Amino acid sequence: MANHRADAEAVVEKALAALDLDARCRLLAGQDMWSLPAIPEIGLASLVMSDGPIGVRGVHWSPEDPSIALPSPTALAATWDPALARRAGQLLAQEARRKGVHMLLAPTLNLHRSPLGGRHFECYSEDPLLTGAIGAAYVTGVQEGGVAATPKHFVANDSETDRFTVDVRVSQRALHELYLAPFETVVEQAEPWALMAAYNSVNGVTMTEHSALQNEILRARWGFDGAIVSDWTAARNTVSAAVGGLDIAMPGPQSVFGHALAEAVRAGQVPAETVEQMARHVLRLAARVGALAGAPPEVATAPATFNGDALAREIAQRSIVLLRNESGVLPLGKVRRIALIGQTADQPRALGGGSAQVFPPHTVSPLEGLRAVLDADTELVYAVGADPRVKIPAAKEGFDLRVQLYGAADRLLGEHPLPEAAIEWIGEFPDGIGVGELHRVVVTGTFTSRATGTHTLAIAGIGPFRLTVGDVTCFDDAIVPEGDPVAAFLQPPETLFEVELAAGQQVSISITHTVTTLPEMPIAFEKFSLGHQEPNIDPEALIEEAVAAAAAAEVAVVVVATTPEVESESFDRTSLSLPGRQDELVARVAAANPRTVVVVNTGSPVHMPWATDVAAILLTWFPGQEGGAALADVLMGRAEPSGRLPTTWPVHQDDAPVLNVTPTDGALAYEEDIYLGYRAWQRLPTAPAYWFGHGIGYTTWEYESAAFAPDPASGLGTLTVTVRNTGDRPGRETIQTYIAHSSQPERRLAAFAVVEAEPGETAEVAIPIPRRAAESWDEATKTWALPATAYDLLTGRSVADIRLTTAVQGPHA
């Protein structure tokens, strides 16, 4: 490997020497939304980048080229299994190669600081050790496939409110022990080839210009030798970004690098040596991914092909957390009638919104999943119960539509069928249409009504629209956005119209949108939808129908969920309550059937006022394209729900130790310091609903012994733990070891391991305890310090369910 890298470095240096200042600077700026420019004279191909954490969308934000959709990062962390995360990374590398992508803009290593964080479904955990372990394995898997992973968002980008401008004020101890820690683990264990600098500032300095964190910590202290890319539009100042450690400013063609950087060098504002090093980092990245001719890539032969559907289903199975299971209602076994209830049981929320969004080839709903596994003797009855959506979904059933794309002078540029009335393109447009060419988008077709009454249509978008139904013009005006333009793109405002139609009536539909550009958002985009809602059905009647179905069934399974208006990129949550009348639905179904199982389809914690009134609770997160199949496997006992909580769930929103996600005068103070998540909960008089690490499973375990062997040369030592499966079925257990000092009694995660055992069998595992688990950051000396006190290793099933205590003598002075 050393010779291999030396050969690659030699090619990098030769290519670098052949580039003049302008070429070097051009290499550092995006040429478009998702790529860097090629330089054929040195054999450099264009480096292509893509979101995201659960699938590879590619360069087109559209469903024309579907992507395998894995479960959300919170789900992956809930498996507590780095080996599984590594396989997920390998699969995504396979998808990236298929789409011609060199850099995957993932994983997201920010922490679940507050349950109100709107993007927490894209992050792993509230704990830095678990986040680092899963993230390092993911990065390793991606790069074993010859694709660069890009851990993000460096650093302290833990909420969405004012994310472009917020200045995070955090102590050095909390910064090192919590927020930098996952990045440090990933850099040291997985050696990522790239890393993304965040939008926010940290202690007064915006991250794309933060020399102390990028040059001194990331590069000099940790040894990172890859390329640092800005979050999209996060690079704001040419000189400050260059000397602050940034290598690539995205997107293009407008950029603070490129020509502007070359001029800054000529003006003496940026040293030429700095640009040389920046270009070296990018060429090294190109060499590693096979985009620089003559340089041996890090991975010469692609790994064996994965079955993406199978892995997506396995991860979804393994991530499901069984929070409650009274009287052993699960697994269901043989039942004659199941009532399946909830709008998302039929139309699940498989993934989160924003840059994590992909377009899967299919999505298995819980309804489809159960239908596939139930035999002919079991009747499955479905009822909507309550629809949590606050916006009208895109028109689909009964609509026959096409989209036409026009340029200047009404020149037709492209045309294709539209399976549903939703357009979502960003950065690049379909049919080979260049940015700036597209002037108008026209959706035309017919709608055949299935019901008599008042139908509701909705335009969701910004800019000028004209909507015609039959010979009536319903709207001809402009919709003007308010606030953050990115938020307006991701969650466009909705304008409603009512149309009276008879069942079976067919009418023509036409919606024309004039392409809108926003000066505040230097990224070309086109997004709008035409929503449709059938004549209103009484919400009370929907709940009554569900209650009746539950009362007549042996078991009721209620699926509840958040919506894209509750959890998504670009905004934080205002409440942990489930939207709509879902809480009421669960309470009334549970009153009608004591064997009620609630399936929680969310990316992060929600309030569950009915938790003690239902028989069982399963948490499926955003489970990806195979979520319904995985849920059916778990419900029927074909697979075990072996997930464990990566984040503490409060009983009530106000109980959470950290709620503040809204900056004051541009600054967000992390006043909780190091007391985040379960570390903070241990200091409170009230207990959470479910502790970090909690999860039940379908079998029982006895923790028999734990023995510690010191090994100062490689860490603190090794803890050997023996557990026994005391149940009547095979199982998987996540052994969690926490550390507590006599001088700091709050326990924190030190290590973990996943084991499997048959009924009655024991499993023994040796768990290395890293030195860092016991260390704290000393702000005075700016180094890690190991307290000289004795400490305990606490091993069990969650941070609050400790089964074994192992006393360890601290180091002598």
Side-chain angles (χ1 to χ4, degrees):
M1 179 61 74
N3 290 337
H4 170 95
R5 291 190 173 177
D7 292 343
E9 283 294 305
V11 176
V12 166
E13 293 302 319
K14 181 179 179 181
L16 183 62
L19 298 178
D20 62 16
L21 174 63
D22 290 298
R24 290 177 178 181
C25 293
R26 189 168 69 251
L27 176 61
L28 307 175
Q31 67 176 348
D32 53 30
M33 184 68 180
W34 301 111
S35 69
L36 295 178
I39 304 181
E41 54 266 34
I42 63 168
L44 178 66
S46 175
L47 278 171
V48 179
M49 311 173 193
S50 171
D51 293 321
I54 58 103
V56 184
R57 187 172 59 244
V59 299
H60 297 297
W61 199 307
S62 63
E64 279 78 18
D65 183 12
S67 310
I68 291 171
L70 299 179
S72 64
T74 44
L76 188 59
T79 70
W80 288 61
D81 191 344
L84 190 58
R86 184 172 178 174
R87 290 167 56 205
Q90 291 169 340
L91 171 64
L92 294 178
Q94 173 181 301
E95 283 281 277
R97 292 194 308 272
R98 180 177 67 82
K99 294 196 172 197
V101 168
H102 302 102
M103 288 177 64
L104 185 64
L105 303 174
T108 304
L109 300 180
N110 303 114
L111 298 184
H112 295 174
R113 174 178 169 265
S114 165
L116 294 179
R119 202 174 176 181
H120 280 353
F121 60 86
E122 194 180 320
C123 311
Y124 290 126
S125 170
E126 69 187 17
D127 182 79
L129 188 145
L130 178 59
T131 296
I134 298 297
Y138 177 105
V139 168
T140 297
V142 170
Q143 295 187 167
E144 284 174 337
V147 175
T150 313
K152 61 183 187 182
H153 309 83
F154 189 72
V155 62
N157 184 181
D158 309 297
S159 53
E160 293 293 283
T161 304
D162 296 342
R163 62 177 179 157
F164 295 106
T165 58
V166 62
D167 179 17
V168 172
R169 306 288 176 83
V170 57
S171 74
Q172 289 299 309
R173 184 179 178 190
L175 183 62
H176 283 80
E177 291 188 14
L178 298 177
Y179 303 102
L180 287 172
F183 289 94
E184 182 180 10
T185 297
V186 170
V187 168
E188 293 184 348
Q189 294 184 8
E191 300 181 3
W193 303 338
L195 185 138
M196 183 185 290
Y199 288 120
N200 59 283
S201 297
V202 172
N203 296 328
V205 183
T206 191
M207 276 309 307
T208 53
E209 304 169 11
H210 210 308
S211 182
L213 292 177
Q214 295 186 138
N215 290 326
E216 297 172 24
I217 298 294
L218 179 60
R219 292 200 184 278
R221 181 170 295 193
W222 298 349
F224 175 72
D225 68 351
I228 302 176
V229 59
S230 72
D231 204 340
W232 268 227
T233 73
R236 302 174 178 93
N237 182 282
T238 300
V239 174
S240 298
V243 300
L246 190 69
D247 296 311
I248 302 169
M250 291 297 291
Q254 292 81 30
S255 174
V256 300
F257 286 170
H259 177 72
L261 181 57
E263 290 302 304
V265 174
R266 293 187 177 100
Q269 297 172 304
V270 176
E273 295 78 13
T274 297
V275 171
E276 178 182 13
Q277 186 69 299
M278 295 162 69
R280 179 177 288 111
H281 294 150
V282 176
L283 289 171
R284 181 181 294 145
L285 169 63
R288 285 169 164 166
V289 299
L292 181 61
E298 287 282 332
V299 178
T301 304
T305 301
F306 275 80
N307 182 321
D309 293 351
L311 184 58
R313 184 169 182 167
E314 180 184 355
I315 295 172
Q317 291 170 346
R318 297 274 304 277
S319 70
I320 294 176
V321 182
L322 180 58
L323 294 176
R324 175 181 173 87
N325 192 20
E326 293 299 296
S327 304
V329 66
L330 293 178
L332 292 179
K334 188 67 176 178
V335 289
R336 289 172 297 175
R337 179 181 293 174
I338 299 173
L340 180 63
I341 297 165
Q343 182 268 333
T344 44
D346 181 36
Q347 300 177 54
R349 188 150 189 221
L351 63 159
S355 59
Q357 181 180 1
V358 296
F359 301 91
H362 60 265
T363 300
V364 181
S365 69
L367 181 59
E368 292 169 323
L370 275 172
R371 281 174 174 166
V373 300
L374 293 177
D375 58 34
D377 295 331
T378 300
E379 181 183 3
L380 180 64
V381 178
Y382 171 68
V384 172
D387 189 338
R389 295 173 297 186
V390 296
K391 287 192 174 181
I392 295 176
K396 187 174 182 179
E397 298 296 330
F399 287 78
D400 184 10
L401 305 171
R402 294 186 66 81
V403 60
Q404 296 171 315
L405 300 94
Y406 291 92
D410 276 347
R411 183 168 62 93
L412 183 63
L413 303 176
E415 180 179 8
H416 54 82
L418 195 64
E420 65 177 24
I423 299 294
E424 189 167 14
W425 307 317
I426 183 167
E428 296 190 16
F429 299 138
D431 302 316
I433 298 170
V435 175
E437 289 186 80
L438 186 62
H439 285 205
R440 241 175 1 111
V441 178
V442 180
V443 175
T444 59
T446 61
F447 169 54
T448 303
S449 171
R450 296 184 299 177
T452 297
T454 304
H455 293 250
T456 303
L457 299 177
I459 296 175
I462 56 178
F465 286 92
R466 178 183 173 88
L467 172 64
T468 301
V469 179
D471 56 1
V472 176
T473 298
C474 299
F475 185 77
D476 191 359
D477 203 347
I479 301 173
V480 180
E482 296 180 1
D484 181 354
V486 177
F489 168 74
L490 295 171
Q491 300 292 336
E494 187 179 58
T495 305
L496 305 182
F497 316 94
E498 293 184 345
V499 179
E500 295 293 330
L501 296 172
Q505 181 179 354
Q506 186 179 86
V507 292
S508 61
I509 292 280
S510 173
I511 180 168
T512 299
H513 181 227
T514 302
V515 175
T516 302
T517 58
L518 298 174
E520 308 92 335
M521 188 176 176
I523 299 172
F525 69 88
E526 177 70 354
K527 174 172 178 172
F528 69 88
S529 66
L530 174 65
H532 170 253
Q533 186 176 69
E534 297 279 356
N536 285 336
I537 299 174
D538 180 8
E540 178 63 25
L542 289 178
I543 294 180
E544 290 177 356
E545 179 188 11
V547 170
E554 287 183 65
V555 63
V557 178
V558 185
V559 183
V560 296
T562 55
T563 66
E565 293 75 33
V566 172
E567 284 186 275
S568 190
E569 182 179 346
S570 82
F571 58 88
D572 288 310
R573 301 165 68 185
T574 58
S575 171
L576 298 187
S577 296
L578 288 166
R581 297 175 67 178
Q582 293 181 103
D583 285 332
E584 178 187 353
L585 172 67
V586 173
R588 291 171 64 175
V589 168
N593 190 327
R595 288 168 54 84
T596 292
V597 177
V598 180
V599 177
V600 182
N601 178 195
T602 70
S604 48
V606 293
H607 181 213
M608 299 183 290
W610 33 259
T612 58
D613 299 325
V614 300
I617 303 173
L618 285 168
L619 173 57
T620 63
W621 313 101
F622 295 153
Q625 67 181 50
E626 304 295 327
L631 174 63
D633 292 336
V634 167
L635 286 172
M636 305 311 298
R638 295 184 172 198
E640 182 188 19
S642 59
R644 301 293 183 263
L645 286 182
T647 291
T648 306
W649 280 45
V651 176
H652 301 289
Q653 177 174 320
D654 293 343
D655 294 340
V658 180
L659 285 175
N660 184 23
V661 293
T662 302
T664 301
D665 297 328
L668 181 61
Y670 284 19
E671 295 176 345
E672 68 280 359
D673 199 37
I674 63 169
Y675 296 105
L676 176 69
Y678 67 88
R679 304 178 190 218
W681 277 102
Q682 295 173 74
R683 298 162 60 90
L684 298 178
T686 57
Y690 300 102
W691 282 95
F692 175 82
H694 174 72
I696 300 173
Y698 284 162
T699 189
T700 56
W701 296 87
E702 180 180 345
Y703 280 61
E704 295 187 338
S705 64
F708 180 74
D711 185 9
S714 61
L716 291 179
T718 300
L719 186 71
T720 301
V721 180
T722 302
V723 296
R724 181 183 299 275
N725 180 351
T726 55
D728 58 3
R729 57 181 291 148
R732 182 180 294 108
E733 176 73 341
T734 298
I735 299 170
Q736 304 165 40
T737 296
Y738 298 83
I739 192 167
H741 289 279
S742 57
S743 60
Q744 183 179 311
E746 290 86 15
R747 58 195 66 163
R748 62 190 187 190
L749 186 65
F752 61 91
V754 177
V755 299
E756 297 179 357
E758 296 293 320
E761 289 187 349
T762 61
E764 182 181 278
V765 61
I767 308 175
I769 309 296
R771 180 183 176 92
R772 182 60 57 80
E775 292 179 324
S776 296
W777 182 257
D778 188 318
E779 294 192 359
T781 63
K782 298 181 179 180
T783 58
W784 291 97
L786 183 65
T789 58
Y791 54 91
D792 290 330
L793 294 177
L794 309 166
T795 303
R797 310 197 73 221
S798 78
V799 67
D801 186 0
I802 301 302
R803 305 297 179 90
L804 299 170
T805 299
T806 309
V808 177
Q809 186 63 40
H812 296 287

